[in-house]
Amino acid sequence: MNKIQVEGQIDKVKDIKINKDTFIDIDGSNITLNITQTKKANIFIKIISSKLTLNITQTDNLIINIFTVNTSLTTKVDVIKDNLSLKYTYSTINEKENKYKIDVNHLGNNINSQITSHGINLKESLSFKINAVVPKTSKGIVTNQDSKIILEDGIAQIKPNLLVDIDEVEANHSAYIGEFKEEDLFYLKTRGLNEKQGINLLAKSFLMGQMSITFRERNIILEILKRYWRW
């Protein structure tokens, strides 16, 4: 796996070409990444205390997993070829005032996209804006959004948008802001877990359950959770 490290850079623009699985590690940066993907790949991006603009040009099947802490992120994905799939999964822990926005532009035919955005807001504010864009020139598009914020404190907002200019499309979205469900906690308690253990298990599942990641990447996220989550 290729690794790209970005640390402590301010107001930088970086152009990257990706043709294999890649890990991008960003810490304390204000940066714009322009990514051109040339071959099928799985991209894992870890972002801590940063402000990131991510522009992706997709030319093959792509899986993107993004995990952030206290970060504002603006993402644009241009899917420019026919018969492609995009699985985009974003998870965040937030205790400041941060915004997350993604635009997925379906610019070919027979494209299938799954956009999953999950966040836990500990305090301050967290907002999601998710746009799936389908122009009238694109045929056979399937696009789905799953957006959820677990609100521990502070305020949260989700704006899921399906910007579709054609009738023949399958487009769905769901949005939820609230706490972990009481019935899930009750079930875990019946299996011998106390409330704290149950919430920890639900948090891990919520943040990582939809990701397509390796054990190494999973352990990276677990180490971050030990610092920012109430273990």
Side-chain angles (χ1 to χ4, degrees), residues 82-109:
D82 297 346
N83 307 309
L84 295 186
S85 67
L86 168 67
K87 183 181 179 184
Y88 176 101
T89 307
Y90 170 82
S91 292
T92 186
I93 293 179
N94 183 67
E95 55 186 8
K96 297 184 178 180
E97 183 176 348
N98 284 300
K99 296 179 180 180
Y100 158 70
K101 178 189 175 187
I102 178 171
D103 296 289
V104 176
N105 298 308
H106 301 76
L107 304 178
N109 300 313

mmCIF file of all heavy atoms in Angstrom, residues 82-109:
data_model
loop_
_atom_site.group_PDB
_atom_site.id
_atom_site.type_symbol
_atom_site.label_atom_id
_atom_site.label_comp_id
_atom_site.label_asym_id
_atom_site.label_seq_id
_atom_site.Cartn_x
_atom_site.Cartn_y
_atom_site.Cartn_z
ATOM 1 N N ASP A 82 -18.232 5.599 -17.782
ATOM 2 C CA ASP A 82 -19.404 4.731 -17.674
ATOM 3 C C ASP A 82 -19.087 3.481 -16.845
ATOM 4 O O ASP A 82 -17.928 3.065 -16.724
ATOM 5 C CB ASP A 82 -19.867 4.281 -19.063
ATOM 6 C CG ASP A 82 -20.316 5.435 -19.945
ATOM 7 O OD1 ASP A 82 -20.530 6.547 -19.407
ATOM 8 O OD2 ASP A 82 -20.443 5.232 -21.166
ATOM 9 N N ASN A 83 -20.141 2.891 -16.287
ATOM 10 C CA ASN A 83 -20.084 1.563 -15.661
ATOM 11 C C ASN A 83 -19.140 1.500 -14.458
ATOM 12 O O ASN A 83 -18.429 0.508 -14.266
ATOM 13 C CB ASN A 83 -19.680 0.500 -16.700
ATOM 14 C CG ASN A 83 -20.565 0.530 -17.927
ATOM 15 O OD1 ASN A 83 -21.791 0.508 -17.818
ATOM 16 N ND2 ASN A 83 -19.941 0.604 -19.098
ATOM 17 N N LEU A 84 -19.150 2.557 -13.641
ATOM 18 C CA LEU A 84 -18.275 2.592 -12.470
ATOM 19 C C LEU A 84 -19.087 2.517 -11.184
ATOM 20 O O LEU A 84 -20.268 2.867 -11.141
ATOM 21 C CB LEU A 84 -17.434 3.868 -12.460
ATOM 22 C CG LEU A 84 -16.411 4.051 -13.579
ATOM 23 C CD1 LEU A 84 -15.573 5.300 -13.327
ATOM 24 C CD2 LEU A 84 -15.512 2.836 -13.705
ATOM 25 N N SER A 85 -18.405 2.061 -10.118
ATOM 26 C CA SER A 85 -19.008 2.071 -8.789
ATOM 27 C C SER A 85 -18.146 2.911 -7.854
ATOM 28 O O SER A 85 -16.913 2.909 -7.944
ATOM 29 C CB SER A 85 -19.154 0.652 -8.236
ATOM 30 O OG SER A 85 -17.892 0.070 -7.992
ATOM 31 N N LEU A 86 -18.825 3.622 -6.962
ATOM 32 C CA LEU A 86 -18.164 4.423 -5.941
ATOM 33 C C LEU A 86 -18.762 4.057 -4.590
ATOM 34 O O LEU A 86 -19.977 4.152 -4.393
ATOM 35 C CB LEU A 86 -18.366 5.917 -6.198
ATOM 36 C CG LEU A 86 -17.970 6.861 -5.047
ATOM 37 C CD1 LEU A 86 -16.454 6.830 -4.819
ATOM 38 C CD2 LEU A 86 -18.446 8.282 -5.313
ATOM 39 N N LYS A 87 -17.904 3.639 -3.664
ATOM 40 C CA LYS A 87 -18.325 3.449 -2.278
ATOM 41 C C LYS A 87 -17.541 4.445 -1.428
ATOM 42 O O LYS A 87 -16.330 4.313 -1.260
ATOM 43 C CB LYS A 87 -18.071 2.023 -1.786
ATOM 44 C CG LYS A 87 -18.577 1.800 -0.365
ATOM 45 C CD LYS A 87 -18.302 0.399 0.156
ATOM 46 C CE LYS A 87 -18.818 0.270 1.590
ATOM 47 N NZ LYS A 87 -18.481 -1.043 2.185
ATOM 48 N N TYR A 88 -18.234 5.441 -0.929
ATOM 49 C CA TYR A 88 -17.617 6.541 -0.184
ATOM 50 C C TYR A 88 -18.157 6.509 1.249
ATOM 51 O O TYR A 88 -19.363 6.641 1.467
ATOM 52 C CB TYR A 88 -17.948 7.870 -0.857
ATOM 53 C CG TYR A 88 -17.453 9.102 -0.140
ATOM 54 C CD1 TYR A 88 -16.303 9.759 -0.560
ATOM 55 C CD2 TYR A 88 -18.141 9.624 0.945
ATOM 56 C CE1 TYR A 88 -15.847 10.900 0.096
ATOM 57 C CE2 TYR A 88 -17.695 10.758 1.609
ATOM 58 C CZ TYR A 88 -16.557 11.389 1.178
ATOM 59 O OH TYR A 88 -16.118 12.516 1.836
ATOM 60 N N THR A 89 -17.259 6.320 2.204
ATOM 61 C CA THR A 89 -17.657 6.238 3.603
ATOM 62 C C THR A 89 -16.872 7.249 4.426
ATOM 63 O O THR A 89 -15.642 7.254 4.402
ATOM 64 C CB THR A 89 -17.415 4.826 4.157
ATOM 65 O OG1 THR A 89 -18.060 3.866 3.306
ATOM 66 C CG2 THR A 89 -17.981 4.695 5.558
ATOM 67 N N TYR A 90 -17.597 8.106 5.132
ATOM 68 C CA TYR A 90 -17.000 9.167 5.935
ATOM 69 C C TYR A 90 -17.478 9.026 7.376
ATOM 70 O O TYR A 90 -18.669 8.896 7.634
ATOM 71 C CB TYR A 90 -17.424 10.528 5.381
ATOM 72 C CG TYR A 90 -17.080 11.714 6.252
ATOM 73 C CD1 TYR A 90 -15.799 12.260 6.224
ATOM 74 C CD2 TYR A 90 -18.030 12.292 7.082
ATOM 75 C CE1 TYR A 90 -15.489 13.358 7.018
ATOM 76 C CE2 TYR A 90 -17.728 13.392 7.871
ATOM 77 C CZ TYR A 90 -16.453 13.916 7.837
ATOM 78 O OH TYR A 90 -16.140 15.005 8.626
ATOM 79 N N SER A 91 -16.535 9.043 8.329
ATOM 80 C CA SER A 91 -16.869 9.008 9.752
ATOM 81 C C SER A 91 -16.054 10.059 10.479
ATOM 82 O O SER A 91 -14.877 10.273 10.158
ATOM 83 C CB SER A 91 -16.579 7.625 10.351
ATOM 84 O OG SER A 91 -17.465 6.659 9.825
ATOM 85 N N THR A 92 -16.673 10.692 11.476
ATOM 86 C CA THR A 92 -15.982 11.764 12.177
ATOM 87 C C THR A 92 -16.379 11.814 13.646
ATOM 88 O O THR A 92 -17.499 11.459 14.013
ATOM 89 C CB THR A 92 -16.273 13.134 11.521
ATOM 90 O OG1 THR A 92 -15.483 14.151 12.140
ATOM 91 C CG2 THR A 92 -17.740 13.504 11.638
ATOM 92 N N ILE A 93 -15.430 12.268 14.464
ATOM 93 C CA ILE A 93 -15.706 12.669 15.846
ATOM 94 C C ILE A 93 -15.430 14.161 15.936
ATOM 95 O O ILE A 93 -14.371 14.630 15.479
ATOM 96 C CB ILE A 93 -14.823 11.911 16.846
ATOM 97 C CG1 ILE A 93 -15.189 10.428 16.869
ATOM 98 C CG2 ILE A 93 -14.977 12.478 18.244
ATOM 99 C CD1 ILE A 93 -14.349 9.618 17.816
ATOM 100 N N ASN A 94 -16.372 14.904 16.522
ATOM 101 C CA ASN A 94 -16.227 16.355 16.517
ATOM 102 C C ASN A 94 -16.502 16.946 17.895
ATOM 103 O O ASN A 94 -17.458 16.570 18.569
ATOM 104 C CB ASN A 94 -17.209 16.975 15.502
ATOM 105 C CG ASN A 94 -17.031 18.478 15.411
ATOM 106 O OD1 ASN A 94 -16.010 18.957 14.943
ATOM 107 N ND2 ASN A 94 -18.031 19.221 15.868
ATOM 108 N N GLU A 95 -15.648 17.901 18.302
ATOM 109 C CA GLU A 95 -15.878 18.643 19.533
ATOM 110 C C GLU A 95 -15.621 20.126 19.335
ATOM 111 O O GLU A 95 -15.423 20.875 20.284
ATOM 112 C CB GLU A 95 -14.999 18.085 20.660
ATOM 113 C CG GLU A 95 -13.534 18.031 20.352
ATOM 114 C CD GLU A 95 -12.730 17.330 21.438
ATOM 115 O OE1 GLU A 95 -13.348 16.756 22.363
ATOM 116 O OE2 GLU A 95 -11.491 17.350 21.373
ATOM 117 N N LYS A 96 -15.638 20.568 18.069
ATOM 118 C CA LYS A 96 -15.476 21.987 17.744
ATOM 119 C C LYS A 96 -16.581 22.385 16.776
ATOM 120 O O LYS A 96 -17.593 21.699 16.659
ATOM 121 C CB LYS A 96 -14.086 22.244 17.160
ATOM 122 C CG LYS A 96 -12.959 21.930 18.146
ATOM 123 C CD LYS A 96 -11.608 22.288 17.593
ATOM 124 C CE LYS A 96 -10.516 22.005 18.623
ATOM 125 N NZ LYS A 96 -9.154 22.346 18.129
ATOM 126 N N GLU A 97 -16.431 23.509 16.081
ATOM 127 C CA GLU A 97 -17.402 23.926 15.076
ATOM 128 C C GLU A 97 -16.865 23.560 13.701
ATOM 129 O O GLU A 97 -15.931 24.187 13.190
ATOM 130 C CB GLU A 97 -17.663 25.428 15.153
ATOM 131 C CG GLU A 97 -18.728 25.907 14.175
ATOM 132 C CD GLU A 97 -19.036 27.379 14.321
ATOM 133 O OE1 GLU A 97 -18.604 27.974 15.323
ATOM 134 O OE2 GLU A 97 -19.705 27.931 13.430
ATOM 135 N N ASN A 98 -17.434 22.511 13.095
ATOM 136 C CA ASN A 98 -16.910 22.028 11.827
ATOM 137 C C ASN A 98 -18.042 21.693 10.859
ATOM 138 O O ASN A 98 -19.146 21.346 11.261
ATOM 139 C CB ASN A 98 -16.023 20.795 12.034
ATOM 140 C CG ASN A 98 -14.653 21.160 12.579
ATOM 141 O OD1 ASN A 98 -13.918 21.906 11.940
ATOM 142 N ND2 ASN A 98 -14.324 20.654 13.752
ATOM 143 N N LYS A 99 -17.693 21.801 9.569
ATOM 144 C CA LYS A 99 -18.647 21.531 8.507
ATOM 145 C C LYS A 99 -18.073 20.475 7.564
ATOM 146 O O LYS A 99 -16.871 20.427 7.321
ATOM 147 C CB LYS A 99 -18.949 22.803 7.715
ATOM 148 C CG LYS A 99 -19.620 23.889 8.542
ATOM 149 C CD LYS A 99 -19.881 25.139 7.708
ATOM 150 C CE LYS A 99 -20.560 26.217 8.534
ATOM 151 N NZ LYS A 99 -20.814 27.438 7.731
ATOM 152 N N TYR A 100 -18.980 19.682 7.039
ATOM 153 C CA TYR A 100 -18.617 18.652 6.073
ATOM 154 C C TYR A 100 -19.567 18.757 4.889
ATOM 155 O O TYR A 100 -20.785 18.821 5.049
ATOM 156 C CB TYR A 100 -18.711 17.279 6.730
ATOM 157 C CG TYR A 100 -18.875 16.114 5.790
ATOM 158 C CD1 TYR A 100 -17.837 15.712 4.954
ATOM 159 C CD2 TYR A 100 -20.065 15.405 5.745
ATOM 160 C CE1 TYR A 100 -17.990 14.633 4.094
ATOM 161 C CE2 TYR A 100 -20.225 14.325 4.902
ATOM 162 C CZ TYR A 100 -19.188 13.946 4.075
ATOM 163 O OH TYR A 100 -19.352 12.883 3.226
ATOM 164 N N LYS A 101 -18.988 18.795 3.693
ATOM 165 C CA LYS A 101 -19.792 18.862 2.476
ATOM 166 C C LYS A 101 -19.197 17.930 1.439
ATOM 167 O O LYS A 101 -17.972 17.855 1.286
ATOM 168 C CB LYS A 101 -19.834 20.290 1.914
ATOM 169 C CG LYS A 101 -20.613 20.415 0.613
ATOM 170 C CD LYS A 101 -20.449 21.800 -0.008
ATOM 171 C CE LYS A 101 -21.131 21.853 -1.367
ATOM 172 N NZ LYS A 101 -20.871 23.117 -2.083
ATOM 173 N N ILE A 102 -20.075 17.224 0.712
ATOM 174 C CA ILE A 102 -19.610 16.396 -0.389
ATOM 175 C C ILE A 102 -20.542 16.570 -1.585
ATOM 176 O O ILE A 102 -21.765 16.624 -1.426
ATOM 177 C CB ILE A 102 -19.515 14.906 -0.008
ATOM 178 C CG1 ILE A 102 -19.077 14.086 -1.217
ATOM 179 C CG2 ILE A 102 -20.797 14.382 0.594
ATOM 180 C CD1 ILE A 102 -18.752 12.648 -0.925
ATOM 181 N N ASP A 103 -19.942 16.679 -2.764
ATOM 182 C CA ASP A 103 -20.651 16.661 -4.041
ATOM 183 C C ASP A 103 -20.159 15.461 -4.836
ATOM 184 O O ASP A 103 -18.952 15.342 -5.085
ATOM 185 C CB ASP A 103 -20.386 17.933 -4.852
ATOM 186 C CG ASP A 103 -20.922 19.174 -4.173
ATOM 187 O OD1 ASP A 103 -22.146 19.338 -4.123
ATOM 188 O OD2 ASP A 103 -20.103 19.997 -3.705
ATOM 189 N N VAL A 104 -21.071 14.579 -5.218
ATOM 190 C CA VAL A 104 -20.729 13.474 -6.114
ATOM 191 C C VAL A 104 -21.409 13.746 -7.452
ATOM 192 O O VAL A 104 -22.643 13.749 -7.548
ATOM 193 C CB VAL A 104 -21.153 12.120 -5.539
ATOM 194 C CG1 VAL A 104 -20.859 11.012 -6.551
ATOM 195 C CG2 VAL A 104 -20.426 11.835 -4.231
ATOM 196 N N ASN A 105 -20.607 13.990 -8.476
ATOM 197 C CA ASN A 105 -21.110 14.311 -9.804
ATOM 198 C C ASN A 105 -21.058 13.066 -10.684
ATOM 199 O O ASN A 105 -19.976 12.570 -11.002
ATOM 200 C CB ASN A 105 -20.286 15.438 -10.419
ATOM 201 C CG ASN A 105 -20.369 16.721 -9.607
ATOM 202 O OD1 ASN A 105 -21.456 17.181 -9.291
ATOM 203 N ND2 ASN A 105 -19.217 17.277 -9.249
ATOM 204 N N HIS A 106 -22.227 12.571 -11.062
ATOM 205 C CA HIS A 106 -22.343 11.361 -11.879
ATOM 206 C C HIS A 106 -22.298 11.780 -13.352
ATOM 207 O O HIS A 106 -23.328 12.124 -13.944
ATOM 208 C CB HIS A 106 -23.642 10.630 -11.553
ATOM 209 C CG HIS A 106 -23.762 10.234 -10.114
ATOM 210 N ND1 HIS A 106 -24.061 11.146 -9.100
ATOM 211 C CD2 HIS A 106 -23.625 9.032 -9.491
ATOM 212 C CE1 HIS A 106 -24.106 10.511 -7.948
ATOM 213 N NE2 HIS A 106 -23.853 9.228 -8.153
ATOM 214 N N LEU A 107 -21.117 11.753 -13.944
ATOM 215 C CA LEU A 107 -20.896 12.328 -15.262
ATOM 216 C C LEU A 107 -20.746 11.280 -16.359
ATOM 217 O O LEU A 107 -20.236 11.574 -17.439
ATOM 218 C CB LEU A 107 -19.653 13.229 -15.228
ATOM 219 C CG LEU A 107 -19.700 14.346 -14.178
ATOM 220 C CD1 LEU A 107 -18.410 15.145 -14.186
ATOM 221 C CD2 LEU A 107 -20.904 15.259 -14.386
ATOM 222 N N GLY A 108 -21.179 10.067 -16.087
ATOM 223 C CA GLY A 108 -21.184 8.987 -17.073
ATOM 224 C C GLY A 108 -22.481 8.221 -16.972
ATOM 225 O O GLY A 108 -23.417 8.628 -16.258
ATOM 226 N N ASN A 109 -22.562 7.100 -17.639
ATOM 227 C CA ASN A 109 -23.750 6.248 -17.618
ATOM 228 C C ASN A 109 -23.515 5.003 -16.761
ATOM 229 O O ASN A 109 -22.380 4.549 -16.606
ATOM 230 C CB ASN A 109 -24.118 5.827 -19.039
ATOM 231 C CG ASN A 109 -24.429 7.018 -19.928
ATOM 232 O OD1 ASN A 109 -25.167 7.924 -19.548
ATOM 233 N ND2 ASN A 109 -23.844 7.034 -21.126
#
